[in-house]
Amino acid sequence: MELIRKYPKLFQWLFLLSVFFTLCFAIDVPETYKFIRGQAEFVKDPNQSTYIFLGKEVRYFAFDNFWRLPPLLGWLPIWINDGLFFLLNEWMPMEFWNEDTQEFKTRPLVLQITRNITAFMTFLIEFIREILLGGVETIVAFSSWDWIDKNPWAELPGLPWTIVAAGATILSYKLSGKGLALFAGFTMVYISIFGQWKPSMQTLSFILVAAPLSFIFGLSLGIMAYKSKRVEKALYPILLVMQTMPQYAVLVPAMVLFGIGDHAAVIITMVVAIPPMILLTILGLRAVPPEVIEAGKMSGCNNWQLLFKVLIPTARRDILIGVNQVIMVCFSMAVIAAFIGAKGLGWNLLLALNQLNIGLALEAGLCISLIAILLDKMSLAWANKQEDYFGNLTFFQRHKNFIFFVGAVILGLILAYSGSFIFKDTFNYLFEIPHNKGISTAGFWNKGVDWIFDTFFVYIKAFNTWLITEVLQPMRGLYLRMPAVATLVLVIGAGYIIGGIRSAIVVGSLALFIAFSPWWDRALVTAYMATFGVIASMIIGVTVGTICVQNKITTNFMLGICDIFQTFPSFVYLIPVMMLFGITDTSVLIAVIVYATIPATRYTIEGLRGVPVALHDAATMSGVTKFQRLTKIEFPLAFPHMMLGLNQTIVFALFMVIIGAFIGTEDLGQYILKALSDKQGGGKGLTLGICVAFIGLIFDNLIRTWVDKRKKHLGID
Amino acid sequence: MRKLISLISAVLISAVSFVGIANSADSKKPIVIPTHNWSSQVVMAYVIGGIFESMGNNVKYVPADSQAVYESIRIGDVTISHEVWESAFGKSFTTALDKGGLLDWGDHEARTLEDMGYPNWVVDKGLCPGLPDWTALKSPDCAKNFVTPDSNGKGRMLEGPQTWHGDLIPQRIDALGLGDLWWVKFAGSADALWAELAAAKKEGRGTIIFNWTPNFTDGAGFTFIDFPPYTAGCRPEDGGDGKCGSPDGYLKKAVNADFPKTHPKAAAMFKKLSFSTGQIGAMAALVDVDKMTHEDAAKKWLADNKKVWQAFTK
């Protein structure tokens, strides 16, 4: 009794677990049950049950309801899909004059609208692209294809790479100083001499459209949500789902609505990049102290001035993190966007991987990372730049950057022109180094992979066999052995113990949605892989973070590594991992761990850094050892922040498990991949994505609730 | 008044018909050609683009997913597709064909085969005596040479993504009574198949994977397993028992329904266009073997094979 009163939570957990295991043992595996590999699409099995809801027939294998719930939501994907199809193909057909066929054509309104929106996006992308690389589409937008055909001189020539490189360097110098200028120069020269100029500029041009648009939309939606409770309430659930939805699931609906090409890539990038921007804007504006707002009002600001001169500048820190997130997300989408038609580095990377040319893919991937970090640092420097109020500068001092740039342009033009004489018979390397005609270290990297293979393969194989037979297969078996009822009891019970009845209802309904979908088994496999990945990532991330944070240099070094890995396309290491570990779950999990360790490390470092220095001093004065300080003071205080890291780790792990479908998995991700060619693809892809998002949200809800309570308890915030 | 109206309408009609006549030449709007992620397709895209350009058309290339592209052609975002593989993309293709907006634009001379097979060293090393006849798979001694950690002691066959043909191969394995000895694992992408092939070669072990021809593996020595021959209706989806191999498949071309109206000449050329297995293999080899870029390979092929492609333009 004494014990129960002392640790009430502990006994609640024990009770919950005992109920869970009782259920697991009490409910037997039905004899007819087997893991369904494909969807019963062609073969009508007489053992299947069917029901019809809203005119849609749903077929499924029925089991005891305690074992697996029937797919009562099986009609949803079909319904979404038919709705989408109806909207795009049948709703409000209108006659549009078709210039090319010289006849009227019936086109549904929505299709016409989406195509008009995307035409504008395409124009923006092509405009930037053709400044950098040259081309005809911008001119065509103002004239016609016939006109350009007769006047080929009007084609834009594009800028020589030397000028763009010099421009980026000078701009970086102006924004931040020598360090960044050096980095910018290095990045640009690297891209160019490695022959990645054209694809890099293609990628850059679509990101230069996607990132500012995401920023503007995110900021304004965030401001609207801050001003109106109603908008916030409407936005919040969508934001939560979008934050945990794997990017890959957005592809199919986006493709159905907007077609393929760079414009569609911009749209899905925006869909993924806007939510974090909105959330951080709201967070920043909320944190503005009321005194500041009052001071603004007292000095007679109108609403507009209050917003732009008081609120936004004060909330700048969080908004800047939002910008950072937008840029990172945009670049992390560079490869996925290639699946629906984005030209550039992402596409080249996929092509190189198809030829198993890991070195070439690595070089393209590195370009993505370098440009991402450069843009990120430049935007941060720009936002942090202080206005220079000191007058008394000469004309030269005031305009020296501009003068240098003009000089660089002239020099670049001269170089490019002379280049046309020097390299008469080959390519004009001073104008643009053509794709794959630069230096390449691909051979070196490919040899490196071969060497690793030859040297370590025996050990890797032994380890792989052990891991699969002793750990992964049994773990997967256990997850699938859970009766649906037991899982639901566990989830709802955990919600109740952590957050009371409210949490219990939220997580319960999220779990029920998945249980009623046709993909419960698949979701269990996803959960098994994510669990393993998260546990391994947390162990590695917390250890590495704790070690690195002891020293300032290692801390910054580690954060830099995190930056690179977050933007470095994971597809690149999928291939060598596949060659070493085979087409197995191990390969998927290694990719998951590499990716999900990033937030685990980052949040550990930030959490430990955030412990107040005064506490350190106080601890040292009371004579604790370093180890005691770490375990008794730093860890407990940093724990809530590290739990947020866990939250992010789960989201990252889920993303990667889904991308693991490219290796070969049997989880929700494989079906998302399959949705690309399905008759009901759009609806299925979206519903599957929502299922994955809900798995993430269950953990998100539990962890956040716990962290809030813990923070109150510790007196932080 | 009535006279005036009839006069105006007469002028209008003649104007419209005049435009109609003037329009019988190809539109200058670019023809959008999709590129997918395997060499022969990309090179052929540039080859076809080059032929279109030689006829005075404008061309634009867009990277696209090989399954999703048919929906895009149907809606009009992409104009043509020049490699529709029966077994892999037949389903997506017919789905789009049924919805309307996409036209079947004839076959290539090349025939395709997509089935399970093995690299030739499997036979050289005697890992499974009796291949390529499928009955060799019935021997447990053969199956045990293909065991992997996750296959529960059965031999593993690596099938392509489930996207390509659903449960066809597992159904066939069960129907042929091989289910106790063999287990079919789905790879997630073509990349995964090539990675498995490369890894198996390095390790010197046997492997049975899904593959197709014409492909770059043709030159490296790859043999397909002889399953019982395909007959119409033998597959489970058509009501059959599933005890049959893959058919000799088509390699089709598809176009958007407006293409023949907007670009009549280009469409006529594209209808005539037909490549043989050897020609497709040669295009892929320029990239996969000679390590040229896709654009350069297409230029070289066009320069070397003027006779072949100029016949299509006439």
Side-chain angles (χ1 to χ4, degrees):
Chain A
M1 271 298 126
E2 189 65 17
L3 271 174
I4 296 182
R5 216 167 296 136
K6 211 170 172 191
Y7 303 105
K9 290 270 163 180
L10 182 70
F11 278 86
Q12 286 174 356
W13 280 111
L14 283 177
F15 176 70
L16 177 65
L17 283 179
S18 57
V19 174
F20 171 72
F21 281 114
T22 317
L23 280 171
C24 282
F25 287 116
I27 300 167
D28 276 332
V29 185
E31 271 175 27
T32 50
Y33 172 77
K34 69 171 193 198
F35 185 77
I36 300 163
R37 306 205 52 193
Q39 267 159 321
E41 264 169 271
F42 307 126
V43 194
K44 290 205 176 172
D45 196 317
N47 297 325
Q48 279 174 327
S49 319
T50 55
Y51 70 88
I52 291 177
F53 184 80
L54 293 174
K56 313 287 173 216
E57 191 193 34
V58 181
R59 275 190 279 138
Y60 66 101
F61 289 97
F63 297 112
D64 180 26
N65 280 347
F66 286 113
W67 173 249
R68 294 287 187 261
L69 301 182
L72 293 182
L73 289 174
W75 50 272
L76 186 69
I78 313 176
W79 197 80
I80 293 179
N81 200 69
D82 290 359
L84 212 58
F85 183 81
F86 173 74
L87 206 63
L88 272 178
N89 289 282
E90 277 145 41
W91 188 64
M92 300 270 281
M94 288 187 177
E95 299 274 303
F96 292 96
W97 177 250
N98 187 332
E99 198 65 44
D100 308 317
T101 48
Q102 293 291 317
E103 58 190 32
F104 280 103
K105 198 177 174 189
T106 5
R107 252 193 154 183
L109 183 67
V110 178
L111 187 66
Q112 190 67 22
I113 291 175
T114 56
R115 289 309 179 274
N116 285 347
I117 296 174
T118 51
F120 175 66
M121 294 235 166
T122 313
F123 171 74
L124 284 181
I125 300 164
E126 288 297 341
F127 179 61
I128 296 179
R129 186 168 289 174
E130 289 177 357
I131 289 177
L132 292 166
L133 289 170
V136 293
E137 305 240 335
T138 311
I139 305 291
V140 167
F142 293 110
S143 56
S144 74
W145 281 100
D146 289 313
W147 188 83
I148 200 81
D149 210 57
K150 289 185 196 96
N151 303 279
W153 53 267
E155 182 178 334
L156 293 178
L159 289 171
W161 71 269
T162 43
I163 294 181
V164 180
T169 313
I170 293 170
L171 187 63
S172 305
Y173 179 74
K174 186 178 156 71
L175 290 174
S176 160
K178 276 183 199 140
L180 191 59
L182 215 61
F183 180 66
F186 166 75
T187 305
M188 290 294 166
V189 171
Y190 168 84
I191 292 170
S192 191
I193 62 173
F194 275 79
Q196 303 283 2
W197 188 257
K198 193 172 167 196
S200 296
M201 292 303 120
Q202 283 173 333
T203 299
L204 191 64
S205 57
F206 104 79
I207 281 168
L208 283 182
V209 174
L213 282 177
S214 310
F215 173 73
I216 294 167
F217 274 98
L219 191 69
S220 25
L221 282 171
I223 292 169
M224 276 157 70
Y226 170 73
K227 297 229 155 183
S228 139
K229 260 263 150 345
R230 205 176 293 168
V231 176
E232 197 198 345
K233 273 200 176 135
L235 268 180
Y236 199 64
I238 304 175
L239 286 182
L240 277 183
V241 173
M242 283 314 303
Q243 287 251 295
T244 40
M245 181 111 133
Q247 306 100 325
Y248 204 72
V250 200
L251 277 190
V252 197
M255 196 165 54
V256 174
L257 281 172
F258 296 100
I260 57 175
D262 288 297
H263 55 271
V266 166
I267 285 170
I268 62 158
T269 307
M270 280 171 64
V271 167
V272 180
I274 288 176
M277 187 70 224
I278 300 180
L279 282 177
L280 283 159
T281 309
I282 301 178
L283 196 73
L285 292 176
R286 280 278 150 69
V288 174
E291 294 87 350
V292 175
I293 302 175
E294 272 165 35
K297 280 188 182 152
M298 281 207 289
S299 20
C301 288
N302 60 25
N303 263 338
W304 201 249
Q305 286 169 326
L306 193 69
L307 187 64
F308 282 97
K309 307 257 164 177
V310 180
L311 281 172
I312 292 182
T314 321
R316 200 167 72 177
R317 207 184 90 90
D318 285 301
I319 293 176
L320 279 182
I321 301 176
V323 173
N324 169 287
Q325 283 302 303
V326 166
I327 291 176
M328 291 293 174
V329 170
C330 283
F331 278 94
S332 72
M333 290 296 287
V335 177
I336 294 179
F339 283 98
I340 56 166
K343 290 195 190 88
L345 290 169
W347 180 251
N348 285 6
L349 195 145
L350 291 181
L351 265 181
L353 288 183
N354 193 258
Q355 301 171 326
L356 299 186
N357 193 338
I358 298 151
L360 203 60
L362 191 83
E363 281 170 4
L366 205 57
C367 285
I368 296 182
S369 290
L370 284 175
I371 303 176
I373 294 169
L374 178 63
L375 273 193
D376 180 46
K377 297 262 185 279
M378 278 170 84
S379 63
L380 278 184
W382 172 68
N384 280 326
K385 199 167 168 55
Q386 299 294 327
E387 192 98 15
D388 186 7
Y389 292 109
F390 301 99
N392 291 345
L393 295 172
T394 62
F395 177 81
F396 176 73
Q397 281 169 321
R398 211 177 272 276
H399 298 285
K400 64 175 181 202
N401 290 314
F402 182 70
I403 293 171
F404 274 119
F405 182 64
V406 171
V409 169
I410 295 170
L411 198 66
L413 288 177
I414 293 173
L415 274 175
Y417 186 67
S418 58
S420 65
F421 294 105
I422 303 171
F423 305 105
K424 230 175 204 155
D425 303 320
T426 60
F427 304 96
N428 184 352
Y429 288 100
L430 292 172
F431 182 66
E432 181 196 316
I433 298 179
H435 177 45
N436 292 353
K437 288 283 184 301
I439 311 170
S440 177
T441 50
F444 170 76
W445 297 111
N446 291 341
K447 285 218 177 71
V449 174
D450 289 349
W451 180 79
I452 293 177
F453 195 97
D454 295 336
T455 320
F456 298 107
F457 187 75
V458 188
Y459 313 105
I460 288 176
K461 186 162 187 177
F463 168 74
N464 192 15
T465 312
W466 170 80
L467 189 71
I468 290 174
T469 46
E470 302 297 324
V471 184
L472 297 180
Q473 293 282 42
M475 190 171 165
R476 182 189 141 113
L478 283 178
Y479 267 70
L480 285 171
R481 173 65 184 77
M482 280 193 292
V485 172
T487 320
L488 287 173
V489 165
L490 187 68
V491 170
I492 296 173
Y496 182 75
I497 297 174
I498 290 175
I501 193 78
R502 210 184 128 85
S503 263
I505 293 175
V506 173
V507 295
S509 27
L510 293 177
L512 263 179
F513 179 90
I514 307 172
F516 280 136
S517 80
W519 303 299
W520 177 255
D521 278 6
R522 302 262 156 180
L524 287 178
V525 177
T526 304
Y528 128 74
M529 290 205 280
T531 320
F532 187 89
V534 166
I535 292 172
S537 306
M538 277 314 274
I539 293 173
I540 298 172
V542 170
T543 319
V544 170
T546 313
I547 294 170
C548 284
V549 89
Q550 308 303 329
N551 180 319
K552 211 165 186 174
I553 299 169
T554 48
T555 309
N556 287 332
F557 176 71
M558 208 59 222
L559 288 176
I561 299 245
C562 286
D563 273 350
I564 291 185
F565 266 93
Q566 195 172 348
T567 46
F568 189 74
S570 37
F571 286 88
V572 175
Y573 47 77
L574 287 188
I575 298 282
V577 164
M578 264 196 278
M579 289 175 70
L580 288 172
F581 293 89
I583 316 295
T584 57
D585 285 357
T586 321
S587 300
V588 180
L589 288 173
I590 286 173
V592 170
I593 291 166
V594 171
Y595 192 55
T597 308
I598 303 165
T601 316
R602 195 191 288 272
Y603 277 76
T604 308
I605 291 178
E606 279 169 6
L608 289 176
R609 269 211 303 204
V611 175
V613 185
L615 275 177
H616 272 203
D617 295 344
T620 317
M621 284 215 288
S622 27
V624 295
T625 62
K626 217 172 180 184
F627 183 72
Q628 280 174 323
R629 196 180 76 193
L630 195 65
T631 49
K632 303 270 172 194
I633 294 167
E634 291 184 328
F635 266 141
L637 278 171
F639 208 52
H641 199 81
M642 282 158 70
M643 284 305 272
L644 290 181
L646 172 64
N647 198 353
Q648 279 303 300
T649 308
I650 293 172
V651 173
F652 273 51
L654 279 172
F655 279 7
M656 206 58 209
V657 168
I658 300 306
I659 289 185
F662 283 93
I663 296 178
T665 51
E666 290 190 320
D667 69 336
L668 293 169
Q670 192 64 44
Y671 273 1
I672 295 182
L673 188 67
K674 196 166 177 267
L676 276 173
S677 72
D678 258 357
K679 277 186 185 162
Q680 286 139 10
K684 268 186 199 158
L686 202 63
T687 323
L688 284 159
I690 291 174
C691 284
V692 180
F694 280 5
I695 299 179
L697 281 181
I698 291 172
F699 289 105
D700 179 85
N701 186 290
L702 294 179
I703 292 170
R704 268 181 209 281
T705 322
W706 185 84
V707 166
D708 287 347
K709 287 197 171 167
R710 189 75 198 156
K711 273 189 179 162
K712 254 184 216 144
H713 181 79
L714 286 173
I716 320 174
D717 270 10
Chain B
M1 189 65 197
R2 183 157 291 183
K3 245 183 186 170
L4 194 68
I5 288 173
S6 56
L7 188 72
I8 289 173
S9 52
V11 168
L12 268 180
I13 288 167
S14 53
V16 168
S17 53
F18 175 72
V19 171
I21 292 160
N23 205 52
S24 70
D26 282 5
S27 153
K28 286 287 171 234
K29 270 207 177 158
I31 301 166
V32 185
I33 305 176
T35 52
H36 304 324
N37 60 349
W38 65 91
S39 309
S40 73
Q41 199 275 349
V42 183
V43 180
M44 208 199 287
Y46 289 119
V47 164
I48 293 173
I51 302 177
F52 280 148
E53 273 172 351
S54 79
M55 300 167 64
N57 290 105
N58 287 308
V59 178
K60 210 163 125 181
Y61 305 96
V62 51
D65 180 83
S66 49
Q67 296 289 347
V69 73
Y70 303 101
E71 181 69 14
S72 307
I73 297 175
R74 204 180 69 73
I75 294 178
D77 296 326
V78 174
T79 322
I80 66 166
S81 167
H82 51 274
E83 276 196 26
V84 189
W85 292 70
E86 172 156 15
S87 187
F89 312 122
K91 208 172 100 198
S92 306
F93 171 73
T94 36
T95 306
L97 202 62
D98 293 344
K99 285 185 187 170
L102 176 122
L103 300 178
D104 179 345
W105 215 238
D107 295 14
H108 282 287
E109 185 192 327
R111 298 300 292 175
T112 60
L113 179 66
E114 299 165 81
D115 212 329
M116 305 303 295
Y118 54 88
N120 285 351
W121 69 79
V122 168
V123 164
D124 298 341
K125 291 194 176 180
L127 295 175
C128 190
L131 280 178
D133 187 37
W134 73 271
T135 46
L137 301 175
K138 282 181 172 173
S139 145
D141 293 332
C142 167
K144 80 170 196 298
N145 286 327
F146 299 89
V147 171
T148 55
D150 53 353
S151 65
N152 288 323
K154 295 180 183 180
R156 186 199 62 173
M157 297 181 177
L158 194 65
E159 152 73 313
Q162 243 179 358
T163 339
W164 291 354
H165 15 62
D167 282 345
L168 185 74
I169 304 292
Q171 278 164 359
R172 183 195 301 170
I173 294 305
D174 284 341
L176 291 170
L178 298 170
D180 296 333
L181 288 174
W182 296 91
W183 174 69
V184 178
K185 164 97 183 173
F186 291 96
S189 54
D191 302 7
L193 293 172
W194 312 145
E196 162 69 12
L197 200 59
K201 186 174 186 182
K202 278 193 176 153
E203 203 188 330
R205 68 179 155 84
T207 185
I208 293 181
I209 63 165
F210 179 80
N211 195 355
W212 55 84
T213 175
N215 195 5
F216 73 94
T217 47
D218 294 350
F222 191 92
T223 315
F224 291 91
I225 298 172
D226 289 330
F227 285 103
Y230 176 86
T231 48
C234 75
R235 287 190 171 174
E237 64 202 73
D238 306 319
D241 58 5
K243 291 185 191 177
C244 60
S246 295
D248 168 37
Y250 61 65
L251 187 65
K252 268 192 189 304
K253 296 163 287 175
V255 297
N256 174 263
D258 283 342
F259 181 56
K261 293 178 205 156
T262 55
H263 299 77
K265 286 184 183 139
M269 186 287 285
F270 190 53
K271 187 132 207 180
K272 268 195 216 162
L273 179 120
S274 155
F275 289 124
S276 67
T277 307
Q279 285 160 342
I280 295 173
M283 288 180 203
L286 288 175
V287 173
D288 291 325
V289 182
D290 302 342
K291 304 285 171 207
M292 299 173 83
T293 66
H294 298 89
E295 287 98 326
D296 291 352
K299 272 186 204 139
K300 184 169 162 43
W301 193 91
L302 283 171
D304 295 350
N305 297 279
K306 273 214 167 87
K307 264 193 193 146
V308 177
W309 62 265
Q310 276 173 351
F312 304 137
T313 58
K314 280 166 195 147

